[in-house]
Amino acid sequence: AAFGLYFPRKEYLENVYMDQPAGTPLLRIHALRDSHGEAAHFHLCQNLIISRARSHENHWFQIREKTGLLYLSKSLDREDFNMLSVGNWMPLSKVMLYVFLSSHPFQEKECDSATRTTVFLSLINATAPACSSLTARQLCFTEMDLSFHIKENKPPGTFHQLQLPSVHHLCQNLSISYKLLAAEGMPFRYNENTTGVSVTQRLDREERERYELIAKCTVREGFREMQVEVPFLVNVLDEDDSPPFLPNGTDTADAVVEFNRKEGTVLATLTVYDADTTPIYPLESSRKKYTGTIITDDPWISETFRVEHVFEEIHFSPNGSQVRGTQHEY
C-alpha cells in the first residue's frame, strides 16, 4: 500500500538558534512500516508556516530523504530572524514545517501525501548556549514528551533516536550515554551504537495497550557525572482484528411474555463483548457498527417488540494489564 508507512509521533519540537552553521543536524524523524519490504522516503514541503495567516518559502531547512535527518541548509542570520519572527521584539518565534512520508522517492512539489507529521521549530533570538551552561536534562532530552504510537500487527522497526543530533554535534567533548529501562520481556530494544529504540515484534493491543519504560541518560565531563531519567511511553493503536464474543458462549436469550405487560418492560437481555474497539463518538457510529434485529415474518411481532442497544467502555485484564473494550447489551 502506498500509504502503509506511518509516523510514530504526531509532532516534533526543536530549538534553532541564530548563526548555527549550515549543516547543523537538528532532529531525526522516524517512520514505521505497514508491511515488510517498504522503505521510507521523507520530504519537506516548500513552505514554512509562520503564523495562522502567513507562510514563507523555506530556505533554511532540509531533510535527508532516506534517513529522516532534518538539518540547517542555511544559517539563520539577524535578517532571516526578523523576517521569520512575527515581531522583532519577541525573544522566541515558532515556525511550523510539514514532513511528508512515502514508500517511493518523492516527485517534485508532491505535498499532498496523506501521511505527514508536523515539526515545530522555536527560533531563539540568541546564539546557541555553551555546552557547559546546559543542564543534564537539556543535554539529554528535548522538551518533547517521549510518547509514541505504534500500530498493532505491524512489522518491527526503529521508531526513535535518544541522542539529540544538535547537542551531539555541538558538545563533542562531553560523553552522553543512554539506557532504556524496561521490565523483563518487553518487546523493545535499545541499540547503543545508534542510540535507536526499536520495537522487536508485532504488538497486539488486545494483549496490552500501553507500555511504560524509562529512558536514563548519563552525562560525563571529566570526573563529573550527572544522571537524568524521563518516562518513555508507547501506546498501541488498534486495528479491528478480533471478532466480538459472547461472555458465556450463549447467543440466544429466551423471553417469556406475560399478559398485560407495560410498554418498555425488558423481556430478555443478551450481552456481547468487543475487546477490539472502544465506544466511538459520536455514539451513533458505534451503534451502526452493531445492529440488533428481531427475525420474524409476523408483522404483529415487529410492531409490538423492539431491540434496544446500550453499550459502555469496560476493561479487560489479559496478563494483568488493562485493555479497553466495549460491552454491548441488547
Side-chain angles (χ1 to χ4, degrees), residues 55 203 216 219 226 263:
S55 69
L203 302 180
K216 178 180 179 179
V219 180
M226 299 177 284
E263 186 179 336

Side-chain angles (χ1 to χ4, degrees), residues 50 59 90 163 166 174 181 185 189 215 252 255 263 270 274 303:
I50 300 173
H59 303 293
M90 298 278 281
Q163 171 189 293
S166 52
L174 289 181
L181 310 178
R189 188 176 21 258
T252 50
E263 186 179 336
L270 193 61
D274 189 343
E303 284 161 24

Side-chain angles (χ1 to χ4, degrees), residues 16-20 76 78 81 124-130 133 170:
V16 183
Y17 296 91
M18 272 183 54
D19 301 329
Q20 279 183 296
L76 275 169
R78 165 72 51 217
F81 199 91
I124 295 169
N125 193 354
T127 52
S133 71
L170 203 65

Side-chain angles (χ1 to χ4, degrees), residues 168-233:
H168 184 67
H169 183 76
L170 203 65
C171 309
Q172 286 171 350
N173 54 353
L174 289 181
S175 148
I176 302 174
S177 60
Y178 295 89
K179 269 199 172 82
L180 193 64
L181 310 178
E184 197 64 38
M186 274 202 190
F188 302 100
R189 188 176 21 258
Y190 171 63
N191 178 333
E192 270 181 33
N193 301 325
T194 62
T195 79
V197 181
S198 48
V199 56
T200 57
Q201 64 191 55
R202 291 172 185 261
L203 302 180
D204 181 354
R205 193 201 71 95
E206 287 72 60
E207 287 294 315
R208 184 155 182 177
E209 194 169 14
R210 186 178 164 85
Y211 293 90
E212 300 183 15
L213 302 89
I214 288 172
K216 178 180 179 179
C217 174
T218 306
V219 180
R220 288 184 194 84
E221 191 182 8
F223 296 114
R224 269 186 356 134
E225 186 177 289
M226 299 177 284
Q227 292 190 333
V228 57
E229 294 184 0
V230 298
F232 188 104
L233 306 175

Side-chain angles (χ1 to χ4, degrees), residues 53-111:
R54 296 174 56 209
S55 69
H56 193 287
E57 200 176 336
N58 170 25
H59 303 293
W60 301 273
F61 306 101
Q62 274 303 321
I63 196 162
R64 294 217 186 328
E65 184 179 348
K66 291 195 171 151
T67 64
L69 183 73
L70 186 75
Y71 63 95
L72 268 176
S73 52
K74 174 185 184 298
S75 184
L76 275 169
D77 58 26
R78 165 72 51 217
E79 204 177 311
D80 297 332
F81 199 91
N82 291 348
M83 185 164 52
L84 291 175
S85 54
V86 186
N88 308 344
W89 50 272
M90 298 278 281
L92 177 149
S93 163
K94 264 207 167 96
V95 298
M96 213 162 88
L97 277 171
Y98 291 125
V99 175
F100 290 83
L101 185 56
S102 171
S103 52
H104 57 82
F106 273 88
Q107 310 307 312
E108 259 318 288
K109 296 271 192 270
E110 189 181 346
C111 277

Side-chain angles (χ1 to χ4, degrees), residues 269-286:
T269 57
L270 193 61
T271 304
V272 181
Y273 285 157
D274 189 343
D276 205 33
T277 52
T278 55
I280 317 159
Y281 296 94
L283 288 175
E284 274 319 300
S285 47
S286 272

